[in-house]
Structure formats: C-alpha cells, structure tokens
Amino acid sequence: MKQFNKQAASLLIAAGMGLAATAGWSAESLQDVMKRRGLSQQDLLAASKTYVPTGKRDDFVAFSSGGQSGQVIVYGIPSMRILKYIGVFTPEPWQGYGFDEESKKVLAGGRIDGKDITWGDTHHPGFSETNGEADGQFLFINDKANPRLAVIDLRDFETKQIVVNPIMKSEHGGAFVTPNTEYIIEAVQYAAPLENKKFYPLEEFNEKYRGAITYWKFDRKEGLIKPEQSFSLELPPYSQDLSDAGKGPSDGWSFTNSFCSERYVGGIEKGRPPYEAGCSAKDTDYLHVINWKKAAELVAQGKAKKINGHNVLMMETAIKEGILFLIPEPKSPHGVDVTPDGKLLVVAGKLDTHVSVYSFEKIMAAIKAGKFEGKDPYGIPVIGMKDALHTQVSLGLGPLHTQFDSKPCVAYTSLYVDSQVAKWNYCEGKVLDKLSVHYNIGHLMTMEGDTMKPKGRYLVALNKLSIDRFNPVGPLQPQNHQLIDISDDKMQLIYDMPIPLGEPHYVVAIEAAKLKPAVRYKVGTNSRTDKPHPGAVRAGEEKTIKKGNKVEVFATLIRSHITPETIEVEVGDEVTINLTNLERAQDETHGFTVSTYNVHASVEPGKTASVKFKADKEGVYPYYCTEFCSALHLEMQGYLLVKPKGWKAGTKTLAKGNYTEADYKATVKKVVDTQAIIDSVVAYITSVNYKDFPDVVAMVEDAFDQLGKTKGLKEKHEGFAAKKDWENANLWAEQIWQYQVKTADLGLRAKTYLEQNGAKKVK
Ligand code: K7E
Ligand code: CUA
C-alpha cells in the first residue's frame, strides 16, 4: 500500500500537479460547492438526511413491486440505493433464475394449463408477520395478470415457490397476511366463471360470473404455501380490489373493497357506454366483511364445495353461517386499511373527496343486533353505512391509499388527482398537512406502516408519472419514488428516485436490523428447496458419469478453476452439469455458462446448482465462470467437446510449452517470497483477537483451505525437476503460487478488516 501511494505521488508530480494545485482543490468549501451547483440550504438539509456515507448502512430496507417486470426491487431507506432485483415471475439471468434447473422448477410452479408464463404484473408485496409485526422472515407478492402468488425467503432473498390461483382469472388484492401469517389473502379483480375453461356469455354475467377471495395457508416451518389446506369464498361479481386483515380486536376478520358493484358490462364496439361510465354510476360500492377464522372452521367441517379440486365456501353457505357482510362505501374506492390498533378501517373513494373511517366495534354491534339495511341481489346482509361509520374527512381529489405513522391517530393518504400526500388525524377527523409530489401518486408507504407497530420517520410516495424530474430517456419514462421525511409536523420532500423497471404499485419497508440474511449456504445446498443437492460433491470427488446418452457431470468451482476442465460428450447426449461452489468467503460467487446452450447459473458460496441441455450440435463450446471472482477469473474456463458419433482419438498429444530450468528456479523463488508475505500476514492476524470477528474467521478458514491445496505439490514439482521435465516442474510450482495468491488475497482482506474494525492485540 505504501509503495502504491509513493508511486501515485510520483505520477502526480510527473503530471505537473504540484502541492499548490492539490491545496486548491481541497480548499473548495461547502459554500463554494453550493454556489457552483446552485444548491439551497433546503437542498443541503435534504442531502444530509438521505446521504449514507461509504461503509455505513441504511436504517430500513424496502421491497418494491417491480410492476410489469415480474420482479421485486430491494432498496435502502433513506439512501434509496438499489440493493437487489429478485427474480420472481420473470427469469433473471444474473441470479441464474430461469436458466438453472433448480429455479426452472420454481418457475414451473407458475405454469398455467401446462404453459410457461414468464412475466408477471406484480402489485403488492407483503411481509410475513408475527403478532401483527413484520418479522423479516418471508415476503409474498402477487401477479395480477395471471392470478399467482410467490413466496420469497428473506434468508437468501430467493423465490422459493409460485402458486396459481385455482379459481380466478385475474387478481389484484394480494398479498395481505393475517397477523401471524396463518393465511395470505388474495382477492379477485375481474369477475369470471370460477370453473376452469368454462364459457358463459356476458349476458349471464350476474348469474355465472363470480368474484372470490382466497386464503392461502402458509406453513412457516417449511416456508411454503400449502394449496391443499387453502380455501376460497365465492363472492358476487363486484370487482373485488384490495384487502386487509383485521388485527388486535379485529383479528379473525378480513376486509375487501370493490369498485364495480354496478356489475356493468361494457361494449363500446356495440355502441354501449364504456366500462368506466357504467362502473362508476352508483354513489357507493361494497366493503366486504369476512370472518375468516370461522370460514376456516367451516371448511374443516366439510362445508366447502370442490371447484377445480379446490375448497370453495359458496355464498349461500357463507350467508347462512353468518360470516359474510357488506357495507356501502363511497365511491369507486381503492383499498381498505386497518389502523394499527385494529379498531378502525379507512376507505378512500377515488371519485369522492372523502376518506371514510369505519368502526370495527360498530360493525360488530350491527351484526350482533341483526341490524341490516337490506340485502344485496345475492342475499348478503348489508350493514347501513351510518351504523358503521366512525367519521368522514374531506382530504382532496382522488384519494387512494392510506398508511399509518408511529404517532397515534396519524395517517397519510395519497391524492392521485391532486398529486399530493395528505397527513390527517383519523381519530378526530381533521387534516394536518399537505405536500405536493411529482406526479400522480398511487400508493404511499411508511416504515412498517401497515403493521401493528408502524415505525414512522419516512414515507415513500409511489408516483405514477415523473414527467420533468429526470434526464429524458425517451417516451417511456421512469416512475418516481419520492422520499418524504415525516418526523416533524410538516412533511419534507427529500429525495427523488427513478424506478426504471416497471410500475411498482406498492412497496413495503422493514427495519434493517430485522433482516438476517445468510452470506453462505451449507456446502451442497439446493437453494430453492433448502435441502442437500444430490448433485453436490466435495473437492476431489468430481466425476463424469455416462449412462446411455445421458452424461452427468459433478463439478466444483473454487478460485480460479472449474473441475473438470474438459467435458467430452457425443452429439445428441443429454448433459447435466452439477456445480458446487466450495468457497466459504463472503461474496465469492462463481457463475457458469456454456457457449450457445442458453444456460447460466449463479453459484454463491456453498450452493449447488445444475444446468441441463441437449448437446445437439457437434463442435467445441467454451464454458467459463461469469463472475469476476479473482485475478485469474478469465482463466476459469474449460471446453465442452461435442464429438461426432463414433469419433476415435488419434495419437497426437497436447502441444508443449518451452520452459527452461531458469524458468523453474524463478517460479520457485516467487513461491518462497510469497510464503514470507503470507507468514507475516498470518503473524498479524493471530496476534489479534480475530476469532471475535466471524467474517474474518470465515476468510481465514478459506485462506487455509486454499493453502492446504498446495499439499504434495512441492514433492510433485521437485520430482519433475529431478527428471528435468521443466514444463511440469514449472507449472506445478506455478500452481502452488496460484493457491498462495488466493491465500494472500484473503489474508490481506482479513487484515484490512481487522485494522478497520478495531481488532485488539492478544497476548
Ligand atoms: Cu396500482 Cu394497489 Cu395495484 Cu393502487 S394498486 S395505485
Ligand atoms: Cu469464478 Cu470467475
């Protein structure tokens, strides 16, 4: 390092940049920068609230829907730095998602009628909860276009499961979890017949088309949804929208709103007024109130009907058993949000200036007293709006979604038409503050804001249009996530973040400290099932097995070679390559691909992944590691030889290099010198309390693992030297040096880490 600084200094002097010039740069003051860049005090304050200096981390981690990309976007708050894209419904090449066999199986879970669907319209991510609080274990997200739900394990941020809704043709209101993640709620959007592939004309809309709500059973231990233990409720064709689960006093109940309870069927092409006119004609739609705990009991008692092999409680049963009620809600609403204490429900009608706050207590009282204002056309009891309302507050134009603060009674509602966030008090029903956003806000989100313990501090406005906020990139413009400081009485806009991957309808954020993702797998793990991978091998056990026309390779990856380095098959063979990454060090991922066979795997430390293809073309296909993993990364390569049928090897041998005794001696000297460096690093590491740093322990383990591989090589190169085989002598000595370089690399990294993290001398 010292040497590098000296070199750098002499380079600078050579380039004519003397000390005076350097002093000039460093003299630029904060005021100078503000002037030069045209920044105000306000800008500076905002910058200091969002800037996270190098080496520091964000307080919250956000998981955003990736909209039409079918992925999830992970970013930090307040820095708004993107941390990851998680492949969910769509292949994601970097992670090998959709290009290795393990992830293909996950995606195959999302096939509909035997067909791959390789995109998704993701809308609402939701965290798993324990006692109504986000617990950081799992994330769920829905696909509106092709009614599906996915499970992401937050131990490794990988998608583990996709399930297809058995009775819906589209869905929007997912994923919402019950307070202990007993169920994940998914509600239909556009009504259709519940039976699969059943045709009914639109004239039979009221009789044969149906809405529904599905309660997916989640098995936390296995980390999987259990379709056979899940069930649905048949609902009227009212275009059900978003849901929320009750909590605290309202636990056991769930609430779902709707927007086209007119049951209007459009047909512009036939001269009929369009859907938008017919679906907004009435002043109210219906909030659905469902007792899911009782519904689950009824299903267990066998009161459900099987539709497409799935348990469905029919409306008739739900009405008879008293578990389904409706309440009028104004007007074309978009979502229902239960307050953190579970006592109130907030509904905002897009075409009304009000938010309506309903009281769970009043709803229960009406149900208990049998006090209904009537029935809907399907016989569902309707509770009078007046009997259920707590208060109504006029907020502005186009109110959509609501989130909650850590401060009691404080809520934030998005105003789509006004392009504003309204801060208001839902207990007393008054507006507290308004802030303009850019532009046309859809959802908004506060930290853990839909749990029982919101954390306050920040709010993200998810704006549909960005218009003039960013450098132009053509007609398709990014969306704009705006960060708002909500710690004071007045909201303050502090950051604009372009989202370039799709329309993220919703995002959820969690305290970073609650997430405890692993940095490595147990060696030989299939990350998609979390079980030992049958294709895993340890160092020295690599092999290729051929049975008929099936070739299976059991390979390992470690800096900087792939074992084996040649794979020989015959044209037409079906090839499976299992790859185990033997590394233990953090972030030492290797990638793997074979030229033109459209396979790719990302093999993180400890993981085993496999790729499979038919070697249907004669020829020579290089394979290589796709992650720049080490100085000799480019050399992490090999050849797949696809030979013609019946091909016989000739007598020609591999060409030899031109090595002399002097080359060999120089290499041996290099090995001795490098060992001295390693010894000094080891002396330092063992002189301090390195065992108190788990990350360092892993690095040291890996370093010694690399060094251990030199065993026996000294005897080997000396043996060849004795026979004056300078090529083999030199190259085996060189291989020792390669292992030493990796050892030194890890050792130096460990040393730097210890120095920067205050390691203490031990006696
Ligand atoms: Cu766009 Cu929740 Cu799907 Cu509102 S949703 S904006
Ligand atoms: Cu391994 Cu590059």
Side-chain angles (χ1 to χ4, degrees):
M1 207 46 172
K2 249 185 212 148
Q3 217 175 1
F4 171 80
N5 286 344
K6 242 191 250 167
Q7 271 179 5
S10 53
L11 274 174
L12 283 176
I13 292 163
M17 297 174 180
L19 274 180
T22 1
W25 295 345
S26 60
E28 196 178 29
S29 68
L30 194 55
Q31 277 70 26
D32 294 336
V33 177
M34 285 172 73
K35 206 167 145 207
R36 178 163 60 80
R37 301 197 61 214
L39 302 176
S40 66
Q41 286 286 348
Q42 193 66 15
D43 294 333
L44 235 61
L45 190 62
S48 65
K49 284 184 177 187
T50 57
Y51 180 64
V52 175
T54 181
K56 294 248 165 70
R57 295 181 187 175
D58 283 299
D59 297 334
F60 295 93
V61 178
F63 294 78
S64 173
S65 141
Q68 298 88 334
S69 75
Q71 300 179 359
V72 163
I73 307 166
V74 185
Y75 61 79
I77 292 176
S79 77
M80 310 301 268
R81 295 180 296 190
I82 292 180
L83 303 170
K84 191 167 221 169
Y85 295 140
I86 305 172
V88 184
F89 298 107
T90 310
E92 202 290 318
W94 185 33
Q95 291 151 25
Y97 191 64
F99 301 90
D100 69 28
E101 289 305 300
E102 294 68 32
S103 61
K104 277 185 192 168
K105 283 203 185 96
V106 175
L107 279 164
R111 273 189 197 143
I112 297 180
D113 300 327
K115 286 204 188 106
D116 284 327
I117 296 182
T118 54
W119 86 289
D121 186 13
T122 59
H123 278 242
H124 305 103
F127 290 118
S128 56
E129 291 183 11
T130 303
N131 300 325
E133 287 192 61
D135 57 31
Q137 293 182 11
F138 297 93
L139 184 83
F140 311 101
I141 191 158
N142 70 322
D143 170 11
K144 171 173 171 174
N146 324 287
R148 299 181 294 176
L149 205 68
V151 179
I152 296 163
D153 192 331
L154 295 179
R155 281 178 305 177
D156 60 359
F157 288 47
E158 280 198 353
T159 305
K160 306 286 166 156
Q161 185 186 25
I162 298 175
V163 292
V164 179
N165 193 291
I167 56 168
M168 298 177 188
K169 292 292 172 285
S170 77
E171 58 92 318
H172 183 231
F176 302 96
V177 299
T178 56
N180 280 299
T181 325
E182 299 94 337
Y183 292 96
I184 306 149
I185 303 172
E186 183 187 38
V188 79
Q189 182 100 91
Y190 307 114
L194 300 183
E195 300 100 319
N196 251 333
K197 292 179 228 161
K198 191 86 179 183
F199 173 77
Y200 293 108
L202 286 165
E203 287 72 16
E204 293 178 45
F205 188 87
N206 293 353
E207 298 78 35
K208 299 292 189 189
Y209 288 52
R210 286 292 176 265
I213 184 161
T214 300
Y215 297 86
W216 289 103
K217 181 79 196 157
F218 187 64
D219 182 328
R220 196 189 283 265
K221 237 170 106 205
E222 283 191 48
L224 295 172
I225 286 170
K226 297 278 152 178
E228 59 298 341
Q229 296 169 34
S230 306
F231 67 92
S232 297
L233 247 71
E234 178 202 32
L235 295 178
Y238 291 162
S239 296
Q240 280 77 20
D241 199 38
L242 303 189
S243 305
D244 202 356
K247 37 194 145 184
S250 52
D251 187 15
W253 292 76
S254 73
F255 313 95
T256 303
N257 74 313
S258 63
F259 62 79
C260 189
S261 56
E262 290 86 353
R263 296 180 291 167
Y264 183 72
V265 177
I268 305 186
E269 68 292 343
K270 291 176 185 149
R272 282 171 62 75
Y275 274 103
E276 56 177 315
C279 280
S280 60
K282 283 200 316 175
D283 277 341
T284 55
D285 290 287
Y286 284 125
L287 176 65
H288 300 58
V289 178
I290 297 166
N291 186 338
W292 62 259
K293 265 204 181 135
K294 186 104 184 271
E297 286 166 22
L298 296 174
V299 174
Q301 291 161 18
K303 300 219 166 129
K305 188 178 149 184
K306 290 268 182 204
I307 300 181
N308 309 327
H310 170 75
N311 283 319
V312 183
L313 272 181
M314 305 309 281
M315 275 193 284
E316 205 192 332
T317 316
I319 295 164
K320 203 173 86 204
E321 301 283 349
I323 60 162
L324 171 63
F325 306 92
L326 301 172
I327 312 175
E329 50 176 8
K331 174 180 189 181
S332 299
H334 192 30
V336 45
D337 295 281
V338 180
T339 54
D341 61 10
K343 291 183 179 166
L344 302 170
L345 329 170
V346 180
V347 174
K350 296 188 294 266
L351 303 178
D352 187 43
T353 58
H354 293 89
V355 282
S356 305
V357 184
Y358 294 84
S359 153
F360 181 71
E361 210 183 303
K362 287 188 181 176
I363 295 169
M364 286 303 113
I367 292 172
K368 214 166 152 214
K371 191 169 181 230
F372 303 112
E373 67 173 23
K375 286 179 177 173
D376 86 331
Y378 300 91
I380 305 171
V382 179
I383 301 167
M385 200 157 128
K386 286 190 311 298
D387 295 329
L389 266 185
H390 165 71
T391 185
Q392 278 189 313
V393 192
S394 180
L395 292 183
L397 297 180
L400 295 183
H401 301 290
T402 296
Q403 283 275 291
F404 303 100
D405 203 331
S406 53
K407 298 167 193 155
C409 297
V410 174
Y412 302 85
T413 297
S414 50
L415 303 174
Y416 179 83
V417 178
D418 277 340
S419 287
Q420 283 187 321
V421 173
K423 175 178 180 178
W424 57 289
N425 181 310
Y426 58 81
C427 301
E428 293 162 27
K430 63 172 190 227
V431 178
L432 302 172
D433 187 25
K434 280 194 188 184
L435 180 79
S436 290
V437 291
H438 314 85
Y439 299 89
N440 295 89
I441 178 174
H443 275 271
L444 75 186
M445 181 270 295
T446 54
M447 307 301 98
E448 300 186 23
D450 41 27
T451 70
M452 292 188 77
K453 290 260 170 63
K455 298 292 183 287
R457 293 179 60 186
Y458 302 104
L459 180 146
V460 176
L462 284 74
N463 306 323
K464 304 289 180 190
L465 310 186
S466 62
I467 305 183
D468 55 9
R469 294 292 112 167
F470 305 115
N471 298 59
V473 290
L476 180 61
Q477 301 196 12
Q479 302 239 323
N480 189 5
H481 281 200
Q482 285 187 307
L483 184 67
I484 294 165
D485 181 351
I486 55 168
S487 45
D488 290 335
D489 289 342
K490 283 225 136 299
M491 293 181 277
Q492 190 197 352
L493 177 59
I494 54 177
Y495 197 78
D496 281 22
M497 178 207 204
I499 293 276
L501 201 69
E503 183 192 342
H505 293 262
Y506 190 44
V507 53
V508 287
I510 187 168
E511 277 180 329
K514 283 189 184 173
L515 296 171
K516 304 219 164 38
V519 295
R520 63 183 70 82
Y521 296 100
K522 201 167 163 221
V523 176
T525 302
N526 173 345
S527 67
R528 302 289 167 180
T529 60
D530 295 318
K531 299 209 166 85
H533 194 297
V537 287
R538 304 231 161 209
E541 300 170 356
E542 299 89 349
K543 62 192 171 198
T544 298
I545 292 172
K546 183 159 179 158
K547 267 193 211 135
N549 67 341
K550 287 196 168 61
V551 178
E552 186 160 13
V553 182
F554 299 81
T556 61
L557 307 166
I558 194 156
R559 276 158 295 163
S560 309
H561 51 262
I562 303 166
T563 311
E565 297 194 331
T566 320
I567 299 172
E568 300 180 44
V569 304
E570 264 190 0
V571 69
D573 283 350
E574 189 191 289
V575 183
T576 304
I577 307 173
N578 302 290
L579 303 142
T580 301
N581 183 346
L582 300 174
E583 310 276 359
R584 305 310 293 145
Q586 267 202 59
D587 206 10
E588 278 302 341
T589 295
H590 300 286
F592 181 85
T593 188
V594 183
S595 167
T596 72
Y597 278 102
N598 198 34
V599 291
H600 183 241
S602 168
V603 199
E604 297 91 47
K607 192 194 243 188
T608 298
S610 61
V611 297
K612 190 173 170 183
F613 55 90
K614 193 170 180 207
D616 53 1
K617 314 173 280 187
E618 265 174 44
V620 175
Y621 303 93
Y623 53 84
Y624 68 95
C625 168
T626 61
E627 282 275 332
F628 206 110
C629 53
S630 51
L632 277 283
H633 148 77
L634 296 178
E635 290 76 356
M636 203 165 165
Q637 59 169 350
Y639 281 106
L640 168 72
L641 306 172
V642 184
K643 301 189 265 191
K645 283 226 179 319
W647 188 85
K648 287 263 175 322
T651 52
K652 203 165 161 51
T653 56
L654 291 173
K656 278 206 175 280
N658 237 338
Y659 295 101
T660 63
E661 186 173 4
D663 294 329
Y664 171 63
K665 286 203 165 135
T667 307
V668 171
K669 181 169 185 310
K670 186 166 75 173
V671 166
V672 172
D673 292 349
T674 307
Q675 191 57 46
I677 297 176
I678 292 173
D679 292 344
S680 77
V681 173
V682 169
Y684 167 78
I685 292 174
T686 51
S687 77
V688 299
N689 58 334
Y690 80 96
K691 286 188 179 149
D692 297 340
F693 301 86
D695 285 340
V696 172
V697 172
M699 281 189 253
V700 168
E701 223 173 83
D702 242 37
F704 281 110
D705 189 43
Q706 286 283 350
L707 202 59
K709 293 184 195 306
T710 62
K711 220 179 130 216
L713 294 185
K714 187 161 186 279
E715 292 73 20
K716 209 165 178 171
H717 71 71
E718 286 172 354
F720 282 113
K723 287 188 274 179
K724 297 196 189 308
D725 179 345
W726 302 121
E727 164 149 337
N728 270 310
N730 185 41
L731 294 186
W732 282 115
E734 175 72 21
Q735 183 55 39
I736 294 183
W737 189 66
Q738 286 305 330
Y739 287 126
Q740 285 179 322
V741 168
K742 282 163 245 179
T743 307
D745 176 27
L746 282 158
L748 288 168
R749 218 185 298 163
K751 185 169 174 250
T752 310
Y753 185 103
L754 289 167
E755 285 166 354
Q756 289 179 354
N757 288 279
K760 287 191 194 65
K761 284 267 169 222
V762 290
K763 273 146 252 160

